[in-house]
Amino acid sequence: MQNMFRRGQTLTWRNDSGKTVKGGQLVIVGDLVGVAAKDITEDAQGALAMEGVYRLPKDNAAIAVGLRVFVDDDGKITSAAGDHPAVAAWAPATDADSIVLVKNNV
């Protein structure tokens, strides 16, 4: 396609959070959710994965596959609406599970 700039699988992001972001950690950029590809120190630039399915920490609620879920202020996946941008549960998780598979930016 002539007007395609790039596939959009990653986003270069400058870490202005005031702390090092660890590889695999969720990063909220506006209305998008990325996953740090590796550690990104304060004031450095790094790649965020903007597509994919990831194992991420969740709160203590059960989550059904396909459910639109959110990111809370602690960076955990939650079913509570009103938190940060949505991702989608890729697999079910019980209330006892500490992680859930999610697909970002759907």
Side-chain angles (χ1 to χ4, degrees):
M1 181 178 293
Q2 291 180 355
N3 60 347
M4 183 174 176
F5 175 68
R6 62 184 295 183
R7 294 188 63 155
Q9 295 170 319
T10 62
L11 174 72
T12 302
W13 172 73
R14 177 171 298 283
N15 181 359
D16 59 358
S17 70
K19 58 187 173 186
T20 296
V21 170
K22 298 290 185 187
Q25 184 177 334
L26 282 175
V27 177
I28 297 169
V29 181
D31 289 332
L32 299 174
V33 176
V35 177
K38 62 180 185 175
D39 292 358
I40 306 171
T41 58
E42 182 181 359
D43 293 325
Q45 287 188 343
L48 302 179
M50 304 307 288
E51 294 181 356
V53 177
Y54 300 91
R55 282 186 179 92
L56 297 172
K58 64 175 257 326
D59 66 7
N60 60 357
I63 295 175
V65 66
L67 183 68
R68 185 164 299 277
V69 291
F70 303 85
V71 181
D72 69 15
D73 289 333
D74 295 325
K76 291 185 177 181
I77 302 301
T78 179
S79 59
D83 287 297
H84 298 291
V87 295
W90 199 255
T94 69
D95 54 354
D97 291 329
S98 62
I99 62 165
V100 62
L101 292 174
V102 298
K103 180 165 177 44
N104 58 339
N105 300 313
V106 293

